[in-house]
Amino acid sequence: MAEFNFDEPSVGSASEIQDTLPVSMTDLQPGGTNFSITTNRGLSQDELQDPNRIQVTIADQNAPLVILFGPPSCGKTMTLIRMTRYLKELGYKVAPIKSFRPAHDENYKRMCDNFDNMVNRSDAARSTDSISFMLVEVIKNGRRLCQILEAPGEYYFNPTNPKAKFPNYVNTIINGSNRKIWCIMLEPDWENETDRRNYVSRVHELKKRMRSADKTVFIFNKIDLTNFVIGPGNTHMGQARKEAHNLYPGMFAPFRNENPITRFFYEWRCDLVAFQTGNYTESGSGLTYQEGPHEYPRNLWHTLLKRING
């Protein structure tokens, strides 16, 4: 059995914004034409009124599914953008899977058509609210290595309704036969103690439904807001791990290795990776995004590859 690492090195220092902005922001179409986001996060009126009507399709049940899981505004979308940039630099193909949402979802079609523009723009952070759903494939040498899913955080966990049931589409994803790598988002400054404890309960609920082959990676986002970054390529992960324990009491309990034989070699059946997407600076036209140190996406991808392959 593979060892799960709670001391993965990570680096960097910068400030990060939340991943939700007003829906009046615009994105660029090919050729530079602006269009307004007129749909509310890409969902139809029926879907907005009843999330159980939301339809998604995971056509490939063989390629592992990497799921960015977390509440609203925890950095899931910018994590996807940063990882996409990094993987493309390494020669991977990262592209939307168009069959994920129904044909009537015009917002999703626009996102697919404009994905590269959205990801590569210096104001990429302005695009985050237009991404309601995104399923992308990661391909190397013609082989689909995995699929990465980013979906609305309020349907994973909503602090204003912490005991809400997962809607049907989330249950479909959980119950699907894909081997899954659950990327659980954590932040050092997220909400209050009550909300964090409720989030812990939601993750525990999810853990009970994970398949034995599923893996879990905790992403400690916005690590630059802590005092644990020593310098580029060097983060004190021991202290970061203690801080995560303190902020989210009991979060890791279901992932403890209870096997008395293997526990000597590894205590946890999960990973903890520090992460930070980049710098955000004010300009005349709004926020400008600059990538953070490459060590962050490198370490996260290295961890994901181990779980994808094993």
Side-chain angles (χ1 to χ4, degrees):
M1 183 178 295
E3 177 178 355
F4 287 71
N5 182 18
F6 252 43
D7 296 298
E8 190 77 29
S10 191
V11 297
S13 179
S15 63
E16 179 175 344
I17 62 168
Q18 294 181 333
D19 71 347
T20 10
L21 296 173
V23 297
S24 59
M25 295 295 185
T26 60
D27 290 314
L28 291 179
Q29 290 180 327
T33 303
N34 285 343
F35 72 91
S36 296
I37 302 301
T38 56
T39 55
N40 189 343
R41 297 185 65 82
L43 300 178
S44 70
Q45 196 61 38
D46 286 344
E47 290 171 332
L48 287 170
Q49 292 177 353
D50 182 5
N52 286 313
R53 292 179 177 266
I54 296 174
Q55 300 176 34
V56 299
T57 301
I58 308 293
D60 186 349
Q61 292 290 311
N62 295 316
L65 189 60
V66 176
I67 303 167
L68 299 174
F69 183 97
S73 304
C74 67
K76 297 186 301 298
T77 303
M78 286 308 298
T79 297
L80 174 63
I81 288 174
R82 182 65 185 99
M83 292 302 297
T84 297
R85 288 187 176 199
Y86 172 76
L87 292 172
K88 287 191 171 188
E89 289 176 359
L90 295 184
Y92 293 88
K93 177 185 176 182
V94 183
I97 298 177
K98 295 185 178 181
S99 63
F100 177 64
R101 285 283 286 155
H104 63 69
D105 188 342
E106 291 296 328
N107 188 67
Y108 188 71
K109 183 178 184 299
R110 286 197 297 268
M111 286 192 297
C112 291
D113 292 342
N114 294 281
F115 183 69
D116 288 339
N117 282 339
M118 240 180 349
V119 166
N120 293 323
R121 286 165 52 189
S122 62
D123 61 344
R126 297 178 64 193
S127 304
T128 58
D129 194 63
S130 66
I131 298 181
S132 52
F133 287 95
M134 183 57 72
L135 181 68
V136 303
E137 59 183 354
V138 180
I139 296 176
K140 185 72 169 182
N141 298 325
R143 174 175 168 252
R144 181 182 279 173
L145 298 179
C146 69
Q147 305 167 89
I148 303 178
L149 173 62
E150 201 282 283
E154 59 266 30
Y155 298 133
Y156 289 143
F157 173 72
N158 187 342
T160 64
N161 190 10
K163 294 185 179 181
K165 300 294 184 181
F166 288 128
N168 290 340
Y169 88 87
V170 176
N171 290 322
T172 296
I173 292 168
I174 293 173
N175 296 332
S177 61
N178 295 76
R179 189 161 58 86
K180 303 171 190 69
I181 296 90
W182 294 93
C183 293
I184 311 295
M185 305 294 295
L186 305 176
E187 285 189 358
D189 63 341
W190 187 74
E191 300 300 338
N192 56 49
E193 182 179 355
T194 298
D195 290 336
R196 291 195 297 270
R197 288 184 179 274
N198 287 333
Y199 182 43
V200 169
S201 296
R202 176 49 58 99
V203 173
H204 286 193
E205 177 186 348
L206 175 66
K207 177 63 174 68
K208 293 176 182 178
R209 299 182 59 186
M210 290 183 187
R211 294 174 178 268
S212 59
D214 290 356
K215 311 297 182 185
T216 306
V217 177
F218 287 94
I219 300 177
F220 200 159
N221 194 27
K222 301 183 182 179
I223 196 66
D224 55 299
L225 300 183
T226 72
N227 297 319
F228 312 135
V229 178
I230 301 170
N234 190 5
T235 298
H236 199 306
M237 288 304 296
Q239 292 182 6
R241 183 178 65 247
K242 291 178 181 178
E243 179 71 359
H245 276 287
N246 292 334
L247 287 172
Y248 301 88
M251 175 67 85
F252 308 111
F255 302 92
R256 186 181 295 275
N257 181 10
E258 300 295 346
N259 188 310
I261 299 176
T262 60
R263 189 168 53 199
F264 177 80
F265 302 99
Y266 58 96
E267 185 178 1
W268 305 99
R269 296 180 179 273
C270 58
D271 298 282
L272 177 67
V273 180
F275 197 73
Q276 181 256 328
T277 58
N279 300 84
Y280 301 82
T281 55
E282 291 283 355
S283 66
S285 58
L287 287 172
T288 300
Y289 169 63
Q290 304 87 38
E291 296 175 1
H294 72 276
E295 286 87 351
Y296 281 105
R298 182 194 68 188
N299 290 337
L300 179 54
W301 181 239
H302 176 70
T303 301
L304 292 176
L305 267 184
K306 287 191 296 183
R307 304 312 163 213
I308 290 169
N309 294 327

